[in-house]
């Protein structure tokens, strides 16, 4: 067999033969369609087709292990859809994947809706459990609801961009084909990731209507992946919000006129979540969305847990409390040794520590990440020294320093409560026991505030964004 010769399947047919027959079967012969094949793929083009340099594609994966007859059935069904609404497509030589090349967005939506409508006839094509062929979840394809909604092919979501992608899943932006509303689609791959996403979906349902989180729309099982569709919150993450408000006049902080209402809103956000007997365990600048009206929403509930529950120790450096980094120390439990290795208890005091980190960000423009120093100085002293340097020129640093130091105490039992933090924001006068004493002078302390790790450096041109 030559290099350019199309391979025949075990059923004795080639993809180009099946595609040609399917196109001819829609009426009028092949109507000027172009067919080309080699040892790798078959390419089918409608009359007058122009190759687009860029554009959305629809990937239909037949799946490994398909028998020859069923693979031919899927290919024929997809080819008929492409012929009815003329669209170029390619097929791999083993018929394992079919890729359609729509002309524009409207064409793209029509094709995916047609594929969904033909799901039963194409032996399982669609986002349902099982080994059937599926539309690949990449920017562009439409996510369709569960099997009982197949009668409504207009119900779906067009993915428009990818926010994050990794081995355990991804986060996408999209919009509803029925309403045009913007959505976020979170995808989980693998058992543990699926369980975590189900947990997040359950918490979103529990908090629906509270004004704390996005509204959950759908939870869909698609082959070996789980998909959570939720409302997209307009605005930008807190980290980008801070970066956009850092000035270039020498002050290291967000102006107090903006920082004070933001700090108060963060206190309210944490207090309201704790009222639901939940601990966030993920209070970071990227997980808090700032709406255009200044309101706040929590956009990642995957780490959240019921107060007092045993959880896996994990978190973001700078916002992870020390008791979670030392899971077998400092736990207020009768039998802490009974906890599995790498586990800790979900406690509201952990969120207080992270809240102090967000206040530090407002006061300095930096995450509270302290590099290793030359000596054994306590982290609290080094943090206080940094705040003292920022307070020389920053009003926000001066006003928030007592709250930051009170919230960032190493001992969870000594951390400042939310009521005291709120009072500090109002009058700025800490009670004698509410904040750490001024740090002693340390010759090795830095004489300037580092800039390379700031949110200003990492977000030089903040843009509107959305995050799972």
């Amino acid at each position: 067999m030559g290099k350019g010769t199309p391979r025949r399947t075990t059923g004795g047919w080639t993809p180009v033969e099946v595609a040609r027959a399917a196109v001819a079967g829609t009426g009028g012969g092949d109507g000027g369609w172009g067919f080309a094949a080699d040892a790798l793929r078959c390419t089918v083009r409608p009359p007058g087709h122009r190759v687009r340099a860029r554009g959305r594609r629809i990937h239909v994966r037949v799946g490994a292990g398909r028998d020859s007859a069923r693979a031919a059935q899927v290919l024929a069904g997809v080819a008929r859809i492409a012929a009815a609404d003329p669209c170029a497509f390619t097929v791999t030589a083993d018929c394992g994947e079919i890729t359609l090349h729509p002309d524009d967005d409207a064409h793209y939506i029509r094709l995916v809706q047609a594929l969904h409508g033909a799901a039963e006839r194409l032996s399982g094509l669609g986002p349902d459990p099982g080994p059937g062929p599926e539309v690949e979840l990449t920017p562009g394809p439409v996510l369709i609801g569960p099997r009982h909604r197949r009668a409504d092919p207009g119900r779906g979501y067009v993915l428009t961009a990818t926010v994050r992608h990794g081995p355990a899943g991804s986060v996408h932006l999209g919009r509803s084909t029925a309403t045009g509303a913007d959505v976020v689609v979170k995808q989980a791959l693998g058992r543990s990731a699926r369980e975590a996403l189900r947990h997040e979906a359950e918490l979103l349902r529990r908090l629906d209507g509270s004004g704390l989180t996005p509204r959950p729309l759908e939870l869909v099982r698609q082959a070996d992946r789980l998909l959570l569709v939720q409302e997209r919150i307009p605005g930008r993450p807190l980290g980008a919000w801070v970066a956009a408000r850092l000035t270039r006049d020498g002050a290291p902080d967000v102006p107090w006129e903006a920082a004070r209402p933001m700090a108060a809103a963060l206190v309210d956000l944490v207090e309201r979540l704790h009222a639901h007997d939940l601990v966030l365990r993920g209070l970071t600048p990227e997980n808090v969305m700032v709406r255009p009206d200044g309101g706040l929403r929590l956009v990642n509930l995957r780490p959240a847990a019921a107060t007092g529950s045993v959880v896996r120790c994990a978190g973001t450096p700078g916002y992870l409390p020390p008791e979670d980094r030392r899971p077998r120390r400092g736990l207020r439990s009768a039998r802490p040794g009974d906890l599995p290795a790498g586990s800790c208890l979900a406690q509201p005091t952990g969120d207080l520590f992270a809240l102090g980190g967000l206040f530090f960000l407002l006061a300095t423009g930096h995450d509270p990440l302290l590099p290793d120093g030359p000596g054994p100085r306590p982290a609290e002293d080094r943090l206080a020294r940094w705040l003292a340097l920022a307070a020389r020129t920053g009003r926000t640093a001066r006003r928030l320093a007592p709250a930051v130091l009170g919230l960032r105490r190493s001992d969870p039992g000594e951390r400042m409560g939310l009521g005291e933090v709120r009072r500090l924001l109002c009058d700025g006068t800490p009670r004698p026991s509410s904040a750490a004493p001024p740090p002693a002078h340390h010759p090795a302390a830095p004489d300037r505030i580092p800039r390379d790790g700031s949110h200003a450096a990492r977000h030089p041109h903040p843009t509107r964004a959305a995050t799972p």
Side-chain angles (χ1 to χ4, degrees):
M1 180 181 297
K3 180 178 180 181
T5 304
R7 293 182 295 173
R8 292 188 176 273
T9 66
T10 55
W13 50 268
T14 65
V16 69
E17 291 172 345
V18 174
R20 188 187 297 274
V23 170
T26 60
D30 60 27
W33 283 67
F35 300 86
D38 56 27
L40 299 178
R41 66 181 59 81
C42 164
T43 301
V44 182
R45 295 189 178 94
H49 172 73
R50 293 182 179 180
V51 178
R52 300 177 66 193
R54 300 181 63 183
R56 293 178 179 172
R57 300 178 181 182
I58 303 170
H59 301 282
V60 179
R61 290 184 175 174
V62 177
R66 277 264 179 206
D67 63 75
S68 176
R70 296 188 70 188
Q73 178 189 12
V74 173
L75 171 56
V78 173
R80 284 191 291 268
I81 290 172
D85 193 351
C87 178
F89 64 93
T90 59
V91 189
T92 56
D94 62 356
C95 205
E97 180 173 311
I98 308 164
T99 303
L100 293 88
H101 304 260
D103 295 333
D104 51 38
D105 288 353
H107 192 202
Y108 168 84
I109 293 174
R110 292 197 308 270
L111 287 169
V112 182
Q113 290 178 344
L115 289 168
H116 168 62
E120 295 286 358
R121 183 163 46 83
L122 296 183
S123 304
L125 175 64
D128 295 307
E134 62 190 34
V135 176
E136 183 183 1
L137 187 64
T138 56
V142 174
L143 168 65
I144 305 298
R147 182 180 295 273
H148 70 275
R149 287 180 178 157
R150 279 186 170 170
D152 181 8
R155 186 183 181 93
Y157 306 92
V158 179
L159 303 185
T160 57
T162 297
V163 179
R164 287 192 303 274
H165 193 280
S170 53
V171 178
H172 305 270
L173 305 182
R175 67 176 182 272
S176 168
T177 59
T179 67
D182 291 333
V183 299
V184 172
V185 179
K186 297 182 177 181
Q187 175 186 211
L189 302 172
R191 178 176 297 179
S192 61
R194 290 196 301 268
E195 290 176 355
L197 193 60
R198 285 194 187 92
H199 168 73
E200 182 173 11
E202 177 58 34
L203 291 182
L204 287 177
R205 285 192 290 265
R206 177 175 169 181
L207 295 172
D208 193 14
S210 66
L212 293 169
T213 59
R215 185 165 56 93
L217 300 177
E218 278 192 282
L219 187 66
V220 181
R221 178 70 185 268
Q222 180 182 352
D224 64 342
R225 55 177 68 110
L226 189 69
L227 307 162
L228 171 62
V229 186
Q230 64 187 48
E231 171 193 17
R232 181 178 174 184
I233 302 298
R236 60 178 61 181
L238 178 62
W241 183 92
V242 168
R245 283 156 179 79
L246 295 178
T247 62
R248 304 300 178 186
D249 60 0
D253 50 9
V254 174
W256 180 242
E257 294 74 18
R260 178 178 177 178
M262 177 55 68
L266 288 168
V267 171
D268 181 67
L269 187 73
V270 173
E271 187 172 58
R272 290 168 60 198
L273 182 77
H274 289 178
H276 288 271
D277 198 29
L278 291 173
V279 179
L280 183 57
R281 303 184 63 249
L283 189 61
T284 69
E286 304 310 314
N287 290 341
V288 177
M289 188 67 67
V290 184
R291 293 170 51 93
D293 61 5
L296 304 182
R297 296 292 186 276
L298 298 168
V299 293
N300 180 15
L301 292 184
R302 204 172 298 194
T307 302
S309 59
V310 178
V311 293
R312 184 174 65 89
C313 293
T316 302
Y319 299 90
L320 180 67
E323 61 270 23
D324 286 1
R325 298 194 296 270
R326 304 188 302 269
R328 294 194 181 278
R329 299 180 186 176
L331 289 174
R332 298 184 180 278
S333 171
R335 302 176 64 184
D338 291 342
L339 292 175
S343 299
C344 51
L345 295 181
Q347 297 287 4
T349 49
D351 286 349
L352 297 182
F353 184 87
L355 178 63
L358 296 183
F359 280 15
F360 184 87
L361 175 64
L362 294 174
T364 67
H366 290 258
D367 292 313
L369 295 171
L370 297 173
D372 294 333
R377 292 168 53 200
E380 293 174 44
D381 285 357
R382 296 165 60 206
L383 197 71
R385 176 62 175 163
W386 195 342
L387 286 168
L389 291 171
R392 292 175 182 174
T393 55
R395 182 185 177 194
T396 296
R398 289 194 298 272
R399 296 296 299 269
L400 290 183
V404 172
L405 297 176
L407 290 166
R408 301 281 293 190
R409 293 288 184 88
S410 297
D411 187 338
E414 295 182 1
R415 287 177 194 149
M416 184 180 292
L418 294 177
E420 178 67 5
V421 173
R422 186 176 284 109
R423 192 184 69 81
L424 276 175
L425 294 176
C426 292
D427 60 30
T429 306
R431 293 175 181 171
S433 60
S434 65
H441 175 70
H442 295 277
D447 59 2
R448 61 182 180 86
I449 299 174
R451 284 288 177 185
D452 55 310
S454 69
H455 274 267
R458 287 185 279 126
H459 298 277
H461 301 288
T463 57
R464 179 173 174 169
T467 339

